[in-house]
């Protein structure tokens, strides 16, 4: 549950002194319009339950130039865009809403595959502050598989309207990752999110998320044996431990995909396109 802030820095930018009524006012570090996703330094995934404001956050960050199409082999819409921050280019991928990494509708599979196998540099989980308990299910699952995650606590205006107070600092302490309170529709919190994402992607901000920890020795040994076998059969497969756990649980979809050799296929073209642009 340690959150290590190696350096807290927020550079002054003349845009800060710009149009105060613009929803992006204060988003000093973001330059968004007219950017293509080519040559991105980092890839950021926007995940979260349905209807939590992922696309609203996406639009606030990427502006007008978005690439919209379908995920390969699926009729699930895919949107990508880019923004610049801290002198780096970030490719942002807006994922379909999902309640869990264990779900299996076409939409949810796309989100799951990208989070698990698409190797995003940072995963932003956009959560609904009015329904935190339900939203934290996915957040905790994401924290099991990556150190580089941020909780964007969106709809804070709605929460306030409903008389719900969320202690975001306590939440950040308990989760072990940064929590950014937001009201994305008004542009609130967007700048803070960009700052945190940029610092996390560059390694300036390092986290130790809260985890379940290891299992009973017998189960732990079994997980490791299956994970090792998976790594041998599928060299380069990220999150082999997660897949091993699902196989041991008897998850029929993961078993089917592992047998067919299609695990993570949804993320494949994404991985290729990232490699093609020469990501370091
Ligand atoms: N009050 C309020 N409404 C918001 C906020 N952010 C988004 N919304 C609204 O919430 C609704 C859903 O927003 P989207 O951005 O489409 O949510 P999403 O997570 O992309 O939804 P799916 O892709 O369907 O999962 C829209 O009507 C938004 O205008 C916010 O901070 N406050
Ligand atoms: Mg959306």
């Amino acid at each position: 549950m340690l959150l290590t802030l190696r350096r807290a820095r927020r550079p002054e930018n003349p845009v800060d002194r710009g149009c105060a009524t613009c929803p992006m006012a204060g988003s000093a570090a973001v330059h968004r319009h007219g950017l293509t996703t080519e040559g991105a330094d980092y890839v950021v995934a926007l995940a979260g339950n349905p209807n939590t404001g992922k696309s609203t956050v996406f639009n606030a960050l990427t502006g007008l130039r978005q690439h919209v199409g379908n995920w390969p082999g699926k009729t699930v819409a895919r949107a990508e865009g880019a923004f610049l921050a801290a002198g780096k280019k970030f490719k942002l991928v807006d994922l379909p809403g999902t309640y869990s990494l264990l779900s299996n509708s076409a939409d949810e599979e796309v989100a799951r595959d990208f989070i698990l196998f698409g190797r995003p540099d940072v995963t932003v989980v956009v959560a609904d502050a009015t329904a935190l308990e339900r939203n934290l299910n996915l957040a905790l699952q994401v924290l099991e598989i990556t150190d580089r995650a941020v909780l964007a606590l969106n709809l804070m205006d709605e929460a306030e309207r409903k008389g719900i107070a969320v202690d975001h600092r306590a939440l950040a302490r308990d989760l072990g990752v940064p929590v950014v309170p937001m009201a994305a529709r008004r542009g609130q919190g967007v700048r803070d999110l960009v700052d945190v994402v940029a610092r996390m992607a560059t390694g300036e901000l390092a986290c130790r998320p809260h985890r379940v920890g290891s299992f009973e020795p017998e189960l732990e040994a079994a997980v490791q044996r299956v994970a090792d076998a998976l790594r041998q059969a599928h060299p380069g497969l990220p999150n082999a431990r997660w897949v091993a756990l699902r196989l041991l649980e008897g998850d029929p979809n993961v078993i089917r995909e592992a047998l067919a050799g299609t695990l993570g296929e949804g993320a494949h073209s994404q991985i290729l396109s990232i490699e093609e642009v020469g990501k370091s």
Side-chain angles (χ1 to χ4, degrees):
M1 291 208 223
L2 264 184
L3 177 65
T4 316
L5 295 176
R6 288 207 195 114
R7 192 149 43 105
R9 185 172 54 87
R10 182 169 294 163
E12 165 85 30
N13 185 305
V15 180
D16 264 350
R17 299 188 289 272
C19 175
T21 55
C22 168
M24 290 299 288
S27 303
V30 196
H31 301 273
R32 53 185 186 141
H33 295 295
L35 280 178
T36 68
T37 57
E38 275 165 39
D41 298 292
Y42 301 105
V43 175
V44 179
L46 270 181
N49 287 186
N51 230 20
T52 55
K54 296 176 295 301
S55 299
T56 306
V57 171
F58 178 82
N59 290 334
L61 287 174
T62 61
L64 301 173
R65 189 81 164 260
Q66 298 172 1
H67 300 257
V68 183
N70 278 351
W71 289 85
K74 314 234 177 189
T75 50
V76 180
R78 153 174 162 171
E80 294 179 358
F83 64 91
L84 292 178
K88 299 285 180 192
K89 188 170 188 176
F90 293 78
K91 173 167 163 171
L92 193 62
V93 181
D94 186 17
L95 295 174
T98 182
Y99 290 108
S100 157
L101 292 181
L102 309 179
S103 313
N104 49 40
S105 72
D107 282 26
E108 290 182 316
E109 238 167 52
V110 160
R112 182 206 69 183
D113 277 359
F114 193 76
I115 296 166
L116 278 165
F117 309 120
R119 299 178 192 273
D121 292 290
V122 178
T123 302
V124 176
V125 180
V126 183
D128 177 350
T130 71
L132 203 48
E133 204 173 312
R134 189 185 66 210
N135 282 246
L136 284 178
N137 184 37
L138 176 71
L140 289 170
Q141 289 177 7
V142 169
L143 296 189
E144 284 294 317
I145 58 160
T146 177
D147 289 348
R148 293 181 166 208
V150 177
L151 189 76
L153 192 58
N154 196 30
L155 293 137
M156 284 296 274
D157 54 335
E158 267 303 294
E160 197 175 320
R161 206 176 58 79
K162 291 183 173 169
I164 300 169
V166 182
D167 185 346
H168 63 90
R169 288 186 188 86
L171 191 58
R173 259 196 322 272
D174 288 348
L175 293 176
V177 294
V179 174
V180 181
M182 302 185 76
R185 200 160 65 178
R186 302 176 182 171
Q188 288 171 0
V190 174
R191 175 196 170 139
D192 289 339
L193 181 65
V194 168
D195 283 349
V196 168
V197 165
R199 283 160 53 216
M200 191 169 273
T202 56
E204 191 184 318
L205 174 63
C207 298
R208 296 246 320 265
H210 177 62
R211 298 246 161 92
V212 171
S214 56
F215 303 106
E216 301 279 305
E218 213 176 329
L219 176 57
E220 188 59 41
V223 172
Q224 285 183 22
R225 221 166 64 222
V226 177
D228 285 346
L230 277 165
R231 286 186 197 102
Q232 278 199 343
H234 306 275
L237 177 77
N239 291 307
R241 188 180 161 82
W242 183 92
V243 178
L245 275 164
R246 300 292 82 75
L247 292 176
L248 288 168
E249 272 177 359
D251 184 317
N253 289 305
V254 177
I255 290 173
R256 181 176 40 76
E257 288 180 65
L259 287 174
T262 56
L263 262 179
E265 215 169 46
H268 189 63
S269 69
Q270 195 69 33
I271 295 163
L272 278 182
S273 75
I274 294 162
E275 282 169 355
E276 276 162 16
V277 298
K279 179 176 160 284
S280 57

